């Protein structure tokens, strides 16, 4: 897939919103949003500058989708301010330079592929030609097909194509490749990277570490409605890409709290959990931990090392965040 | 794209989607004609009186269009809102004007289509013969008189969930139609119901449509009541649309 766009510039002539080049594309300050008793977002700050490639990473229900729905003007925050190109996202004029994608694979089933693209294209002042866009996403042979008859992967590709049809300066994608096979996922990543390379700003959510790793330059980790980390990809990876070192300790003199403290203090261990004779250590560098265990003469058995899930990694980040707060307070 | 062109664009795609499910369109077009065949044609004293037959067709025409509006825009919009694509369309650079306006236009077109078989049946099998001029005036008046119900449908559709919308549309529609004299002519009403009826949009609409077809039947109050309901329900529809945020997650 190939993207060639020369018309995208910082400030379009006659653009309805008053952003100068260099102003933030997205600006959210102290944003809180509740649904009944659930606080989906809790005083979140997020500023995205033109040309950034930002991944919002977090488990399901973390608040990623809610944050994006505020940015795209679908919902209003209960507190705080959200700006899109300097304007209110709920004002349609603020959204002429925004491209998004339908969630899940929700497309009107009776409309044909080219019709859906045309429907969306006409909302924008300078859309891409439908034929060229379908070609780029490998959908040209399906142009006359009703969307209800597309496969899951084809629907997903069409959905992402819709985000680009308006020649947007900002593309916001919620779980862009959910349900795609490996080939489909890589093809979409290529298209998105090409869009970014041509000067576009891209914000996407994912609960796949791999996806954020492949696309994002800056990663914002969100959980329980709060920003836990906001840093370059490598810095966040170092905190999130954890290994889980599990083993058993035979009952005996090593049962006490002192042993637990010793294990937690081993070099590289971020978190230690002990249940009966089972011990789980979370660490960024498993090799270092195992060497430490051997050097300390810990009589471990049934050693098992695997990649920790994001949820497990987030748990340590949440605890670290809590500790920071206590210190700050 | 200008706001007007965008409105037409939305209307065109809504019509396209509706036409792609032909059975829904056929049902909408046949319903009023069937009602005429089953409830009016068997009563020869009505069917053979030029004025009574014309009034009966006019009443049914208004009921047909107003139920089309209340149901397709009440239940239909609520259903659409539950789809992920609707949430997506909200992120496009189009305001409430284009989307609401598009629905209005497509609703008027569909309502017009639903009148054709009814008028054809009335022309062939009853004594009603208002002439082409009054017929066209009557059709135009039906569409205008049904606009408050279109707005009511939109308010229901944007304000409620699918199941609630269907129930509320039913609960609101049938009493309004009955008390408005769309099933039984208001001449048969007791005095208290006739007075109450005078303040309803359905009764005002009925009188105005009958006036258009027969040249008699409406009072100044009817026009005032109809205009007031159109404004009030139109404002309600816009207000409900603006505070709607698509699906509610709890």
């Amino acid at each position: 897939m190939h993207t060639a766009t020369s018309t995208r510039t910082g400030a379009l002539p006659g653009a309805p919103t008053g952003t100068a080049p260099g102003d933030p594309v997205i600006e959210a300050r102290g944003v809180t949003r509740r649904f009944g008793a659930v606080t989906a977002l809790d005083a979140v700050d997020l500023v995205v500058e033109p040309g950034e490639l930002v991944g919002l990473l977090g488990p399901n229900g973390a608040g990623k989708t809610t944050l994006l729905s505020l940015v795209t003007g679908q919902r209003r925050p209960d507190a705080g301010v959200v700006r899109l190109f300097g304007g209110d996202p709920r004002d349609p004029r603020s959204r002429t330079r925004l491209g998004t994608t339908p969630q899940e694979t929700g497309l009107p089933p009776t409309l044909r592929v080219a019709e859906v693209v045309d429907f969306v294209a006409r909302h924008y002042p300078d859309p891409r030609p439908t034929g060229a866009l379908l070609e780029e996403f490998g959908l040209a042979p399906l142009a006359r097909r009703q969307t209800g008859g597309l496969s899951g992967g084809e629907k997903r590709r069409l959905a992402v194509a819709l985000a680009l049809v308006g020649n947007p300066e900002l593309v916001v994608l919620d779980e862009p490749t959910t349900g795609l096979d490996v080939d489909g996922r890589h093809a979409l990543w290529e298209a998105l990277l090409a869009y970014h390379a041509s000067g576009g700003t891209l914000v996407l959510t994912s609960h796949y570490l791999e996806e954020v790793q492949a696309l994002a330059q800056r990663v914002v980790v969100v959980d329980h409605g709060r920003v836990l980390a906001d840093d370059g990809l490598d810095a966040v990876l170092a905190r999130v890409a954890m290994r889980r070192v599990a083993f058993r300790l035979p009952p005996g003199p090593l049962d006490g709290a002192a042993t637990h403290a010793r294990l937690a203090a081993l070099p590289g261990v971020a978190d230690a959990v002990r249940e009966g004779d089972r011990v789980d250590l979370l660490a960024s560098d498993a090799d270092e931990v195992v060497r430490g265990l051997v050097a300390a003469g810990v009589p471990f058995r049934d050693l098992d090392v695997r990649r920790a899930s994001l949820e497990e990694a987030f748990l340590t980040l949440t605890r670290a965040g809590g500790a920071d707060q206590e210190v700050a307070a | 794209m200008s706001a007007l062109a965008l409105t037409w664009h939305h209307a065109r795609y809504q019509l396209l989607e509706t036409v792609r499910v032909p059975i829904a369109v056929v049902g909408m077009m046949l319903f009023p004609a069937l009602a005429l065949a089953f409830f009016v044609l068997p009563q020869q004293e009505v069917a053979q009186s030029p004025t009574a037959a014309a009034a009966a067709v006019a009443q049914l025409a208004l009921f047909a269009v107003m139920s089309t509006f209340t149901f397709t825009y009440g239940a239909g919009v609520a259903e659409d809102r539950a789809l992920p694509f609707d949430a997506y369309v909200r992120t496009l650079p189009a305001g409430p004007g284009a989307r609401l306006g598009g629905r209005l236009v497509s609703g008027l077109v569909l309502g017009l289509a639903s009148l054709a078989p009814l008028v054809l049946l009335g022309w062939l099998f009853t004594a009603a013969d208002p002439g082409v001029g009054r017929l066209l005036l009557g059709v135009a008046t039906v569409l205008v008189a049904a606009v408050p119900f279109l707005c009511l449908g939109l308010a229901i559709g944007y304000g409620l969930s699918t199941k609630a919308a269907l129930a509320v549309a039913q609960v609101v529609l049938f009493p309004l139609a009955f008390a408005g004299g769309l099933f039984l002519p208001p001449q048969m009403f007791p005095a208290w119901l006739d007075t109450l009826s005078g303040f309803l949009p359905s009764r005002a609409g009925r009188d105005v449509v009958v006036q258009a077809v027969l040249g008699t039947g409406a009072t100044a109050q009817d026009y005032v009541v109809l205009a007031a309901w159109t404004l009030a329900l139109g404002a309600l529809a816009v207000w409900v649309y603006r505070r709607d945020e698509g699906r509610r997650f709890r």
Side-chain angles (χ1 to χ4, degrees):
Chain A
M1 293 189 202
H2 174 69
T3 311
T5 311
S6 55
T7 53
R8 196 181 301 113
T9 50
L12 294 170
T17 46
T19 35
D23 274 1
V25 172
I26 298 173
E27 193 175 0
R29 302 268 183 213
V31 169
T32 297
R33 173 72 209 217
R34 293 178 206 91
F35 296 103
V38 179
T39 302
L41 291 175
D42 186 5
V44 166
D45 292 311
L46 178 70
V47 176
V48 176
E49 303 289 343
E52 279 199 284
L53 212 173
V54 181
L56 288 179
L57 186 62
N60 285 322
K64 309 184 297 281
T65 302
T66 305
L67 181 55
L68 291 193
S69 74
L70 299 180
V71 169
T72 58
Q74 292 177 67
R75 300 179 194 282
R76 230 190 298 262
D78 291 322
V81 179
V82 182
R83 299 263 127 193
L84 179 66
F85 294 107
D88 181 352
R90 290 184 69 87
D91 180 349
R93 284 170 303 177
S94 306
R95 302 196 296 261
T96 51
R97 290 181 274 167
L98 166 74
T100 67
T101 191
Q103 252 202 313
E104 302 153 40
T105 44
L107 297 161
T110 59
L111 292 186
R112 304 183 196 285
V113 169
E115 287 168 349
V116 176
V117 174
D118 176 65
F119 172 72
V120 174
R122 286 185 189 227
H123 287 81
Y124 293 94
D126 175 33
R128 290 198 200 180
T130 299
L133 187 75
L134 291 179
E135 199 69 54
E136 183 187 325
F137 279 84
L139 293 166
L142 305 171
R144 299 269 313 149
R145 187 89 67 80
Q146 291 188 331
T147 65
L150 298 180
S151 75
E154 290 162 348
K155 283 182 189 169
R156 210 52 239 168
R157 258 188 287 158
L158 175 56
V160 175
L162 290 181
L164 298 178
V165 69
N167 253 326
E169 287 167 52
L170 167 67
V171 166
V172 167
L173 300 173
D174 196 6
E175 309 278 351
T177 61
T178 301
L180 279 188
D181 58 21
V182 177
D183 283 350
R185 185 171 296 172
H186 284 264
L188 273 186
W189 288 352
E190 233 174 87
L192 295 176
L193 286 172
Y195 163 76
H196 176 252
S198 74
T201 311
L202 183 61
V203 176
L204 62 105
T205 73
S206 184
H207 57 265
Y208 298 126
L209 188 57
E210 191 201 357
E211 181 153 272
V212 169
Q213 217 164 342
L215 289 179
Q217 294 171 346
R218 170 184 162 199
V219 180
V220 178
V221 181
V222 181
D223 197 11
H224 294 104
R226 293 176 48 204
V227 173
L228 299 182
D230 181 351
D231 214 332
L233 176 67
D234 293 335
V236 171
L237 278 186
R239 294 176 67 182
V240 166
M242 294 277 193
R243 298 278 161 170
R244 186 173 154 280
V245 180
F247 53 87
R248 296 199 300 158
L249 271 184
L254 292 167
D255 280 348
T259 310
H260 188 259
R262 242 177 80 207
L263 289 172
L266 282 173
V269 172
D271 194 28
V273 177
R274 180 149 187 199
E275 241 174 78
D277 64 343
R278 295 202 49 81
V279 177
D280 271 340
L281 302 180
L282 272 181
S284 48
D285 186 345
D287 305 334
E288 193 184 2
V289 170
V290 173
R291 269 188 226 108
L293 285 172
V294 173
V298 177
F300 59 81
R301 280 162 50 187
D302 294 342
L303 181 72
D304 176 40
V305 179
R306 65 168 173 82
R307 180 184 242 181
S309 71
L310 268 188
E311 277 73 10
E312 288 170 320
F314 286 141
L315 218 58
T316 63
L317 274 184
T318 316
R319 285 183 199 167
D324 286 352
Q325 286 234 316
E326 279 162 27
V327 172
Chain B
M1 214 184 207
S2 75
L4 208 64
L6 205 55
T7 301
W8 172 238
H9 182 58
H10 276 246
R12 217 162 53 85
Y13 268 87
Q14 281 157 18
L15 286 170
L16 190 59
E17 275 190 79
T18 311
V19 171
R20 290 275 162 82
V21 190
I23 191 67
V25 184
V26 169
M28 212 152 54
M29 290 182 68
L30 284 188
F31 176 73
L34 286 177
L36 187 77
F38 286 130
F39 301 118
V40 176
L41 293 190
Q43 305 180 53
Q44 279 303 305
E45 68 277 18
V46 176
Q48 293 313 320
S49 150
T51 50
V57 172
Q59 284 167 199
L60 269 179
L62 180 61
F63 174 69
V65 174
M66 108 185 202
S67 67
T68 303
F69 283 0
T70 318
F71 277 111
T72 52
Y73 291 94
V77 167
E79 229 165 84
D80 276 356
R81 272 189 327 120
L83 298 174
F85 195 71
D86 195 70
Y88 167 70
V89 171
R90 283 167 171 274
T91 70
L92 297 177
R99 299 195 61 211
L100 277 178
R103 298 241 189 235
L104 270 162
V105 171
S106 65
L108 285 173
V109 171
L110 289 174
L112 202 59
S114 76
L115 288 181
L118 174 75
V119 169
L120 189 70
L121 221 59
W123 176 60
L124 288 177
F125 297 112
T126 76
D129 185 16
V132 176
R134 290 218 168 268
L135 173 68
L136 291 181
L137 185 64
V139 169
T141 311
V142 166
L143 294 183
V144 173
V147 168
F149 298 97
L150 176 60
C151 298
L152 177 67
L154 292 173
I156 291 172
Y158 282 109
L160 302 170
S161 70
T162 309
K163 281 180 183 169
L166 199 62
V168 170
Q170 260 161 343
V171 164
V172 167
L173 180 69
F174 286 98
L176 266 184
F178 179 80
L182 303 188
F183 299 142
L184 290 175
Q187 288 81 0
M188 296 172 72
F189 284 177
W192 67 267
L193 184 56
D194 195 36
T195 310
L196 173 79
S197 173
F199 295 98
L200 298 178
S202 45
R203 171 64 184 277
R206 180 226 169 250
D207 289 354
V208 167
V209 173
V210 169
Q211 168 86 33
V213 176
L214 293 179
T216 173
T219 61
Q221 186 193 330
D222 286 324
Y223 293 96
V224 173
V225 167
L226 194 62
W229 277 104
T230 306
L231 283 180
L233 292 172
L236 178 70
V238 171
W239 179 71
V240 168
Y241 176 88
R242 280 182 190 272
R243 62 180 278 285
D244 171 52
E245 295 191 325
R247 285 181 293 181
R248 313 263 166 206
F249 297 99
R250 294 219 185 273

